[in-house]
């Protein structure tokens, strides 16, 4: 009786296993036929690779641009990005420890500004760079030591783990790499037409200072003069980084173009891009 019971149990287990395997195969077949959602994200490749979501990418690009606008050296941008990585994962947080706010988790009670000011990524970045500039000898310090002199964190070594990622981002966002920022932003832009072009121009001027942009006659968007290749790639990478929120469809520079359709840089078809201009096209009115 015991042997028969064991046999029946074994047979039941076998049948269950077969059924489960059938469900597994069936589910694989069904999943394979379903359209997969487009994953929005950005890949930065510049002697290393960093993957970010669109919000993180836009914030990183703004932090880097403000560093250039403030005439800070490249290492300052590395320190700023490593700090924002650690404090907020490059996301503009509404709150944090005690009254900490924003990208750098700055505290109104410690004199960093009002909550509304600190939630502005540009204001927060400017305040960080101003504080870093006051640290004597910060240029020769490790990333984590320079950041700690500004932040006064309970975890002074924590910033160092982001040093490599921040160096990759800095190389790309300061224009020391070609076609290094590629973002997949989806096919439904938040803004279109004149509103998109106006928002893009406004953001560009806030981050980089007043630029002499022009409006291309053949498309809706803007063109930014590039004094050299490094400057051009700074603007090009910034435009791709801010593509999702500003309805950017295409960015072209130096015989390459990024398109929102496939999210990558490729050679320009049927002609060449102007190496003296960075051109951004936004989605037309739908």
């Amino acid at each position: 009786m015991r042997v028969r019971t064991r046999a029946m149990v074994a047979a039941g287990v076998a049948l269950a296993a077969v059924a489960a395997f059938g469900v597994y195969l069936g589910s694989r077949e069904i999943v394979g036929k379903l359209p997969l959602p487009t994953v929005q994200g950005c890949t930065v490749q510049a002697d290393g690779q960093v993957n970010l979501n669109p919000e993180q990418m836009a914030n990183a690009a703004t932090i880097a641009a403000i560093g250039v606008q403030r005439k800070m050296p490249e290492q300052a941008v590395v320190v700023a990005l490593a700090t924002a990585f650690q404090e907020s994962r490059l996301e503009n947080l509404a709150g944090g420890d005690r009254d900490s706010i924003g990208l750098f988790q700055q505290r109104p009670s410690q004199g960093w500004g009002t909550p509304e000011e600190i939630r502005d990524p540009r204001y927060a970045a400017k305040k960080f760079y101003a504080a870093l500039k006051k640290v004597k000898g910060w240029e020769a310090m490790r990333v984590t030591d320079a950041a700690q002199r500004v932040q006064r964190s309970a975890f002074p070594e924590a910033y160092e783990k982001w040093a490599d990622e921040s160096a990759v981002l800095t190389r790309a966002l300061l224009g020391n790499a070609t076609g290094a920022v590629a973002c997949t932003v989806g096919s439904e832009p938040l803004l279109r037409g004149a509103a998109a072009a106006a928002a893009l121009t406004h953001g560009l001027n806030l981050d980089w200072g007043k630029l002499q942009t022009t409006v291309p006659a053949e498309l809706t968007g803007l063109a930014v003069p590039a004094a050299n290749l490094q400057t051009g790639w700074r603007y090009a990478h910034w435009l791709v980084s801010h593509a999702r929120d500003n309805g950017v469809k295409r960015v072209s520079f130096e015989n390459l173009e990024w398109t929102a359709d496939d999210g990558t840089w490729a050679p320009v078809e049927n002609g060449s891009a102007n190496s003296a201009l960075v051109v951004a096209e936004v989605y037309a009115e739908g």
Side-chain angles (χ1 to χ4, degrees), residues 137-201:
W138 70 265
E139 299 92 337
M141 296 179 183
R142 291 187 306 154
V143 167
T144 198
D145 294 332
Q148 173 63 5
R149 292 289 296 274
V150 175
Q151 298 296 107
R152 307 294 183 183
S153 169
F155 305 97
E157 289 294 319
Y159 305 102
E160 193 66 25
K161 67 176 175 283
W162 301 108
D164 291 342
E165 288 89 341
S166 299
V168 171
L169 287 176
T170 299
R171 282 192 289 271
L173 293 171
L174 296 193
N176 296 322
T178 297
V181 177
C183 294
T184 301
V185 298
S187 58
E188 292 299 327
L190 300 179
L191 294 173
R192 287 178 175 270
L200 191 63
T201 303

Side-chain angles (χ1 to χ4, degrees), residues 102-136:
L103 289 172
F104 298 92
Q105 289 292 277
Q106 295 157 332
R107 299 178 59 192
S109 64
Q110 301 299 311
W112 287 97
T114 67
E116 293 75 17
E117 287 173 332
I118 296 171
R119 280 297 304 278
D120 178 353
R122 298 170 180 95
Y123 173 92
K126 288 176 182 178
K127 293 292 285 187
F128 180 86
Y129 285 123
L132 179 64
K133 195 172 183 178
K134 294 178 181 177
V135 176
K136 185 176 181 180

